[in-house]
Amino acid sequence: MTPRTKALGDWLASDRARLVVRWLTTILLVAAGTAITWSYFSRPTTLKVAVGPAGSKREAFVGALARSLVEARAPVRLKLVPVKGSAEAAALLEADKVQLAVVRSDEPRIADARSIVVLDRRSLVLAMRGDPKAKLAAAKDATAESPESAEDSTATMSSFAPERLAGKRLLVAVDELGSNLALVRRLLAHSGLVEPGISIREAPADAIATEMAAGRADVAVYLLDPSETTTRATIAQLTEKLAGAVLVGGVPSSEGLAAIYRDVASTTLAPGVFGGIHPSPAEKITTVAMTDELVAESDMSDAIGAQLTRALLDKRGRMLAQSTAFELEAPPLDALRRFMPHAGVSAVINERSTSFLEKYSDQIWLALFAVGLLGSSLMSLGNRLGLSRGSQTAKLLSEVDRLGESIEASTTVEEVDAIRRRIRELARAGIKNVMRRGLDANHPSHPTHWFEFLDEMAERRRSEIEAASPSPPETSAPLRSVLGR
């Protein structure tokens, strides 16, 4: 063994080396705990969202939105929970099995929910056979009148009057998102259009044109988004099947319906929005619209609601580039509606300014609590590992107290000698410690004085035992002479 290797081995066996190893172990444990804690508290918030039906454009859009949040490393993530439709999504949200749900604005099965974003806005459109000559004459008459009269005439033509729908057979389209029959019946009942005065039934959306061409229905009723390409294809198919002009309009009293029912809103569709050689519609349409919305329970924290809203609205441009079928817009703050905006949405839109302490007060208190907890843990760990001087002193005092009790309880000379050997070991360790600290040996707090006192106690106890014994053994040297004092 070389001298350098021997020196290294001696150093590793020394108290200083053990102290260094203890501190390194402590530092590594603290670093690992800090990393785990930071990873836990900085991880993204994952929210379950109920959306369906499976395979629908709605589910595909929310799935694409969830993937975009992952790619952008947003602070919130979405985990899809497939459901059959809006009713089941609302039930899961009410049962607290999900944090979010995509539901229709006319969904009655949910009591308390707040809107995060509006995903889609679908308008209620009615279509029937039209007389192009009569339509052209009406347009000429409207042009010949004053501007105010022309505007009134256009407004009248933009929706089907109740007398025009009376006695008609209405066929309501069932789309991929479910039935719209209940909604149509409720809205038409406002104008007195109820069965048996009219006939209302439903059929698949792709079968409406065939039913109309066969003469089994008079009016087609669609709930559709005008911005979708499939909407234009639907109206084009109806025009082709009927082989003639198609009159497109909205439901009667749309503004009155919007004022009564909070789950629909009055809307207008621009002329020619459905396309075609002869632009359809020929004039502005006034009707009602229903929304599909991403909603959350009202007790969702404002911070999470704001983070989610900001993350979703930041993706609006990207999502519109992928699909024009969904709008992804914030709900209006100043309108009474079925699902009022979440408080987090209001905070994002209003850009509320708060001071640093107001904004981060919760985080500051948590950080102070964590620092205090970490400090207490380090002190406790340091005491257990013997890393602090206070810990060493406490151990030494505890050992001195125990040795004093052992001296009083000893009954044989051998026990006393074993105690005196332990006193000498502690004395040597104490001398090394005070030498490192630079403490004066004559100072009253010098630990050597404690061990001298203990040794004197042990010597007196040994003398008592020897006096009671017929053949006392050889007496060991006192501690004072061993220590050279």
Side-chain angles (χ1 to χ4, degrees):
M1 179 181 296
T2 63
R4 181 174 296 179
T5 304
K6 184 175 182 301
L8 178 61
D10 293 340
W11 184 83
L12 292 175
S14 65
D15 293 338
R16 183 177 294 275
R18 288 193 290 270
L19 185 62
V20 170
V21 171
R22 288 176 180 177
W23 272 113
L24 288 176
T25 303
T26 302
I27 292 172
L28 289 176
L29 289 175
V30 171
T34 303
I36 294 173
T37 303
W38 175 259
S39 175
Y40 176 81
F41 285 104
S42 63
R43 75 191 191 283
T45 302
T46 301
L47 304 174
K48 294 181 180 178
V49 50
V51 57
S56 64
K57 288 181 291 185
R58 175 194 285 173
E59 185 190 47
F61 179 79
V62 176
L65 191 60
R67 290 190 295 273
S68 70
L69 294 179
V70 174
E71 294 171 359
R73 298 182 180 180
V76 287
R77 308 290 170 83
L78 299 179
K79 181 180 179 181
L80 271 64
V81 177
V83 293
K84 295 180 181 179
S86 178
E88 186 177 351
L92 290 181
L93 185 64
E94 282 284 278
D96 292 330
K97 295 182 178 179
V98 295
Q99 293 80 41
L100 300 167
V102 178
V103 298
R104 296 165 53 122
S105 59
D106 62 338
E107 178 55 57
R109 299 172 182 83
I110 186 167
D112 186 22
R114 295 292 183 269
S115 178
I116 301 295
V117 290
V118 177
L119 298 180
D120 192 17
R121 190 181 302 275
R122 295 183 289 159
S123 302
L124 196 61
V125 176
L126 285 67
M128 63 183 298
R129 290 182 184 271
D131 185 354
K133 294 181 180 180
K135 186 175 180 182
L136 181 60
K140 290 181 178 180
D141 292 340
T143 306
E145 296 174 353
S146 63
E148 293 79 5
S149 300
E151 184 177 352
D152 294 340
S153 177
T154 303
T156 303
M157 293 174 58
S158 66
S159 61
F160 289 133
E163 58 270 16
R164 174 174 284 179
L165 296 175
K168 297 290 195 251
R169 297 167 297 173
L170 276 65
L171 194 57
V172 182
V174 180
D175 52 32
E176 64 174 359
L177 300 181
S179 173
N180 303 306
L181 187 59
L183 173 66
V184 174
R185 277 180 171 159
R186 175 163 58 92
L187 296 180
L188 292 181
H190 176 69
S191 300
L193 298 172
V194 295
E195 297 174 304
I198 58 173
S199 170
I200 306 178
R201 61 186 180 91
E202 59 183 358
D206 54 2
I208 295 287
T210 303
E211 292 287 309
M212 293 278 290
R216 291 189 287 267
D218 303 315
V219 181
V221 185
Y222 298 97
L223 191 63
L224 42 80
D225 183 354
S227 63
E228 293 187 41
T229 56
T230 54
T231 296
R232 294 188 288 274
T234 298
I235 300 299
Q237 181 188 25
L238 183 63
T239 303
E240 180 183 357
K241 287 284 186 179
L242 294 182
V246 174
L247 180 61
V248 178
V251 294
S253 307
S254 58
E255 293 183 357
L257 291 171
I260 296 173
Y261 301 112
R262 303 302 183 188
D263 54 358
V264 295
S266 179
T267 186
T268 57
L269 303 180
V273 70
F274 300 130
I277 298 177
H278 302 287
S280 176
E283 67 281 333
K284 180 176 64 176
I285 290 179
T286 302
T287 185
V288 296
M290 188 208 69
T291 55
D292 296 316
E293 304 187 28
L294 179 67
V295 300
E297 284 286 356
S298 59
D299 57 0
M300 174 184 282
S301 72
D302 295 356
I304 294 179
Q307 288 179 349
L308 177 61
T309 303
R310 186 176 293 107
L312 294 178
L313 295 181
D314 287 345
K315 300 298 165 209
R316 178 163 45 184
R318 176 177 178 178
M319 300 310 298
L320 288 176
Q322 294 182 2
S323 173
T324 59
F326 295 89
E327 298 183 6
L328 199 63
E329 64 179 13
L333 303 182
D334 55 352
L336 293 176
R337 54 199 313 273
R338 173 66 176 89
F339 299 118
M340 297 300 292
H342 191 273
V345 178
S346 303
V348 171
I349 296 177
N350 291 331
E351 297 181 352
R352 295 174 184 164
S353 59
T354 56
S355 65
F356 179 83
L357 291 178
E358 290 175 339
K359 187 174 183 180
Y360 297 103
S361 59
D362 293 343
Q363 291 83 344
I364 291 173
W365 282 113
L366 286 175
L368 292 176
F369 175 76
V371 169
L373 184 61
L374 181 61
S376 301
S377 302
L378 287 178
M379 290 296 296
S380 176
L381 183 60
N383 291 335
R384 287 183 173 274
L385 296 178
L387 301 179
S388 62
R389 293 177 180 176
S391 174
Q392 294 176 357
T393 304
K395 288 183 178 180
L396 192 60
L397 291 174
S398 176
E399 184 73 8
V400 168
D401 184 60
R402 188 185 64 81
L403 288 174
E405 294 177 354
S406 300
I407 290 172
E408 297 293 337
S410 60
T411 57
T412 64
V413 173
E414 289 77 9
E415 292 179 4
V416 175
D417 290 340
I419 294 173
R420 297 183 71 184
R421 286 194 295 272
R422 179 57 183 162
I423 292 174
R424 286 175 170 80
E425 293 176 359
L426 291 176
R428 287 194 293 271
I431 291 173
K432 291 180 181 180
N433 184 35
V434 297
M435 289 177 66
R436 286 196 298 267
R437 295 169 56 188
L439 187 65
D440 186 6
N442 296 321
H443 197 277
S445 64
H446 197 286
T448 304
H449 302 294
W450 308 345
F451 300 123
E452 288 177 356
F453 176 73
L454 285 175
D455 190 69
E456 291 175 0
M457 288 180 58
E459 190 174 358
R460 286 196 301 267
R461 181 58 182 165
R462 192 177 195 279
S463 299
E464 294 174 358
I465 295 174
E466 288 175 349
S469 176
S471 55
E474 183 180 355
T475 305
S476 60
L479 181 62
R480 184 181 300 272
S481 63
V482 173
L483 297 175
R485 298 184 57 186

